[in-house]
Amino acid sequence: MPNAENPISLLENLLKHPGRVVHELQQKQASVLAGWLLLFGIVGIAIYAQSGGAQMWIAPVKLGLGTLLAVLICLPSLYIFTCLGGIDAQLRSVCGALFAAVCLSSILLIGFAPVAWIFSQSTDSIAFMGALHLLFWLIGIRFGLRLIDATGRFLGARSKGHLRIWSVIFILVCLQMTTTLRPIIAPSKTFLPTEKKFFLAHWLDSINGK
């Protein structure tokens, strides 16, 4: 990858030539690149989370922290599933692949940010805005998980099943994290919720206006 040490070049290649980034993540400077990817991913999520009003600073902090926690929680299982899938990869390569996926997802979310902002200024429906943000996140995470799948093929994975199972686990963890750190869209008197709740139950309560 030309100018591999340049962070801007890294982002540009992640969008245009992700295979180059995957290749560089197997080299000696993988740790530096992985650090940049994680940083850009968390900052990108925080930028997208600018929702205005009472959540102007709370939402970016919550989503940035939630993303970091989800990555740390799911990283050990990704390494295990990678090994079970027949991939002889180092831990730093697995970290880089996951960080690249998060970074790519956050870049796509930043692209959706103007659309989300328009709707946030024209509607007070928490359920609709939650569904819209969820749709954009699913699109972003889909491309991110495809990058992990491509990395697995590049490293000689014998089967896609292991990484697909892990992808489902990662999505569930992220969805539960948004509920654990609620509220993110609506204003609140407390920084974190006072009761535990499953994310599907939280969605139903939001739709019913509870």
Side-chain angles (χ1 to χ4, degrees):
M1 186 177 69
N3 300 321
E5 301 83 4
N6 189 333
I8 303 302
S9 176
L10 176 62
L11 292 179
E12 184 177 358
N13 278 277
L14 185 61
L15 286 173
K16 297 179 180 180
H17 309 286
R20 295 180 180 178
V21 178
V22 172
H23 174 76
E24 290 296 332
L25 289 173
Q26 317 308 317
Q27 310 306 315
K28 294 181 179 180
Q29 58 183 359
S31 300
V32 176
L33 295 181
W36 278 116
L37 290 169
L38 179 60
L39 177 61
F40 286 141
I42 295 176
V43 171
I45 293 290
I47 292 175
Y48 174 79
Q50 294 289 337
S51 57
Q55 300 292 330
M56 179 64 77
W57 70 271
I58 297 177
V61 170
K62 285 185 176 182
L63 287 184
L65 177 62
T67 300
L68 179 60
L69 289 176
V71 167
L72 295 178
I73 290 172
C74 294
L75 180 58
S77 59
L78 175 59
Y79 180 72
I80 293 173
F81 275 89
T82 298
C83 295
L84 292 176
I87 301 175
D88 184 16
Q90 297 180 348
L91 180 59
R92 66 178 185 181
S93 299
V94 177
C95 290
L98 179 54
F99 298 166
V102 172
C103 184
L104 180 58
S105 300
S106 70
I107 293 175
L108 292 173
L109 285 177
I110 292 177
F112 290 133
V115 179
W117 181 82
I118 286 294
F119 281 99
S120 69
Q121 300 303 308
S122 58
T123 179
D124 292 326
S125 174
I126 301 299
F128 173 78
M129 287 305 303
L132 183 66
H133 288 307
L134 179 62
L135 174 62
F136 289 159
W137 179 82
L138 287 175
I139 294 174
I141 200 65
R142 169 58 180 163
F143 281 90
L145 293 176
R146 283 181 59 188
L147 181 60
I148 292 181
D149 184 64
T151 303
R153 294 198 304 270
F154 174 77
L155 296 176
R158 295 193 299 264
S159 172
K160 295 182 179 180
H162 298 85
L163 291 180
R164 288 179 177 175
I165 293 174
W166 178 87
S167 297
V168 174
I169 296 174
F170 182 68
I171 291 175
L172 291 176
V173 169
C174 290
L175 293 177
Q176 185 60 37
M177 192 64 68
T178 60
T179 300
T180 302
L181 299 176
R182 71 185 188 280
I184 295 176
I185 302 175
S188 175
K189 296 181 180 179
T190 60
F191 183 76
L192 293 175
T194 56
E195 62 175 341
K196 298 179 181 179
K197 189 176 293 186
F198 182 50
F199 71 88
L200 289 179
H202 173 56
W203 290 354
L204 291 175
D205 289 346
S206 299
I207 293 174
N208 296 327
K210 296 182 180 180

